[in-house]
Amino acid sequence: MKRTTDFLIIGSGIAGLSYALKVAERGAVTVVTKRSISETATNLAQGGIASVISQDDSFANHVKDTMVAGVHLSNSEIVKMVVESGPDAIKDLVDWGVQFTRNEDDSFDLHREGGHSHRRILHAKDLTGQEIERALVEAALAHPNITIHEHHIAIDLITAHKATGKVAGPDRCLGAYILDINDNDIITIGARFTVLATGGAGKVYLYTCNPDVATGDGVAMAYRAGATVSNMEFMQFHPTTLYHPHAKSFLISEAVRGEGAVLQRKDGTPFMEQYHQLKDLAPRDIVARAIDNEMKVHGDDCVFLDITHKGADFIHNHFPHISETCRTYGIDITTEPIPVVPAAHYLCGGVRIDGWGETDLPNLFAIGEVSCSGLHGANRLASNSLLEGVVYAERGARRCLERYSDCPQDFPAIPPWDSGNATDSDEEVVVAHNWDEIRRSMWNYVGIVRSNKRLVRALRRIKMIQEEITDYYWDFLITSDLIELRNITTVAELIVRCALERKESRGLHFNIDYPNVDDAHWKRDTVLHRPF
Ligand code: SIN
């Protein structure tokens, strides 16, 4: 089946839906999302969205905090632009119906999180992402120009070169091949503009607080299509996810530390002052490495986060979702410390974009976690990600609307997806085994603390799995499991290659073979160009 649209958006979190709402007046918008519409990382975000609101704060403070957290690898022009766009982004969200928690005088209640010098985190209790997603979904569903296809997963981007089989002249993105998961049908969608808003890739690691959809699809597809990818070594590990066999790395928001919670060993000794002068509010890379070290030195399975001193009323009022979820696992956080461990949380690298969200493959945009905009550098400052999603949605939309008339729908004949002689697989175990092996290898060899030897070992395994996947891919009919496996394997390869390239330790990338920051040689991005 073949369809055309003006704007094809892959992903339905804050970035995809904000962009959809910004362009919908102008043309037909098609959103494809691989599960139900709200099954996104946005929906799970607890902490909030950072913006300078308070009179005590300033744009300069927010810029400085972002640069320091990113260990001065962020692009200062981009940081300034995003920070200064914050108040307008908040206004857009409020106009779309988002209800942030307010004080009695109707001002926004502002939380504080690690690395922030001031209170500037707007939130909706501790379910900020759910509130944002609710409002955006309602607004998008109500718009007559926006069509949403749930349970549709993108397989690959379509480029002019691939469609025509000719590599002469500049390439551009023409749309994507999409698998309708329920009908098992592959649809070809041609679009003036294609927007990757696919989120992150936490599922590349064995332990992650990301939703199951976070398989790096956008990064993998963009790379295969010829777009440049950057800074993939910077995977952020959130320091505090619930340690419980059934909790699936449930996030304990950094706002809990922001409101005074203290990390302790199992005997109750606080330890963060030994690692950083900001103690429990040090940047995330430092807190995650400190916890990793504490667990290794003391042979413990977890550390503990204690907020009991704030009292039950305060805790229930500020963190209703966290306290209730912990209670279902038998932990009363008003009377006992919470067992926590780090888990993969946020990919700071991704598809390289310009200040308007466009990749170096013309007509392909990437917005939000899938992208590498220059905002996060070597480590993302907490709650800057939802902000980046809304700001780049607006800028990407503005750029597409300016170019709309110059970008006709004159697609060259796009060939339909060719399944060749593929048949139904009778060995699903191969896919399941490879999923597990990639995630385990990444956790063990490419985690919080790395070494050259472990990185090389991981790359060897990834290459072997890639060979198996390639054989499997062409022999058997495509399933969403296989598409995601192929994508996490590509993303794993890109993370390891960037990690091997960076011969220093900076922010989220810590390699014991090069334990120091090397500004003279490495105050620059790692860059991976098209594979052909
Ligand atoms: C959190 O609530 O700790 C997550 C916020 C973020 O990652 O920005």
Side-chain angles (χ1 to χ4, degrees), residues 45-48 113 236 238 251-255 284 345 380-385:
Q46 295 177 359
E113 290 178 351
Q236 185 174 74
H238 197 290
L251 188 71
I252 307 295
S253 175
E254 187 153 323
R284 270 189 199 163
H345 180 59
R380 178 183 63 98
L381 184 65
S383 289
N384 266 356
S385 45

Side-chain angles (χ1 to χ4, degrees), residues 10-29:
I10 304 172
S12 57
I14 190 169
L17 295 183
S18 303
Y19 175 91
L21 290 164
K22 286 279 176 187
V23 294
E25 287 310 311
R26 187 67 187 265
V29 180

Side-chain angles (χ1 to χ4, degrees), residues 157-174:
L157 297 169
I158 303 164
T159 65
H161 285 177
K162 285 193 180 161
T164 58
K166 296 185 194 132
V167 287
D171 204 0
R172 68 185 164 114
C173 185
L174 302 177

Side-chain angles (χ1 to χ4, degrees), residues 52-181:
V52 174
I53 300 287
S54 156
Q55 296 298 322
D56 306 335
D57 199 1
S58 68
F59 289 143
N61 287 333
H62 191 178
V63 168
K64 185 170 171 217
D65 294 346
T66 303
M67 294 300 295
V68 169
V71 200
H72 299 281
L73 202 68
S74 307
N75 176 330
S76 55
E77 291 297 308
I78 294 292
V79 174
K80 189 164 174 295
M81 178 279 286
V82 173
V83 162
E84 292 182 0
S85 306
D88 284 344
I90 299 300
K91 183 173 178 313
D92 277 339
L93 289 173
V94 171
D95 288 348
W96 285 321
V98 176
Q99 292 179 14
F100 291 110
T101 300
R102 292 181 186 256
N103 300 309
E104 277 173 9
D105 64 0
D106 208 38
S107 60
F108 292 117
D109 183 51
L110 300 174
H111 271 165
R112 193 171 166 200
E113 290 178 351
H116 287 274
S117 57
H118 290 72
R119 286 188 173 264
R120 62 171 78 99
I121 316 298
L122 288 94
H123 63 102
K125 297 277 184 188
D126 58 352
L127 284 169
T128 314
Q130 191 173 304
E131 169 57 14
I132 291 175
E133 187 75 16
R134 176 203 62 73
L136 295 182
V137 167
E138 272 178 34
L141 288 175
H143 202 294
N145 288 356
I146 301 178
T147 308
I148 295 164
H149 297 285
E150 297 181 302
H151 306 288
H152 281 57
I153 181 170
I155 306 171
D156 261 324
L157 297 169
I158 303 164
T159 65
H161 285 177
K162 285 193 180 161
T164 58
K166 296 185 194 132
V167 287
D171 204 0
R172 68 185 164 114
C173 185
L174 302 177
Y177 293 112
I178 309 284
L179 172 68
D180 174 343
I181 297 170

Side-chain angles (χ1 to χ4, degrees), residues 359-376:
T359 71
D360 56 3
L361 179 62
N363 297 355
L364 177 67
F365 287 70
I367 302 176
E369 189 173 351
V370 63
S371 71
C372 181
S373 66
L375 175 65
H376 306 309

Side-chain angles (χ1 to χ4, degrees), residues 390-419:
V390 192
V391 169
Y392 272 90
E394 189 280 326
R395 291 177 72 83
R398 209 175 341 146
R399 179 49 55 97
C400 292
L401 294 177
E402 281 161 14
R403 293 229 311 260
Y404 185 85
S405 313
D406 303 334
C407 185
Q409 276 189 311
D410 67 332
F411 306 120
I414 302 176
W417 180 261
D418 179 10
S419 299

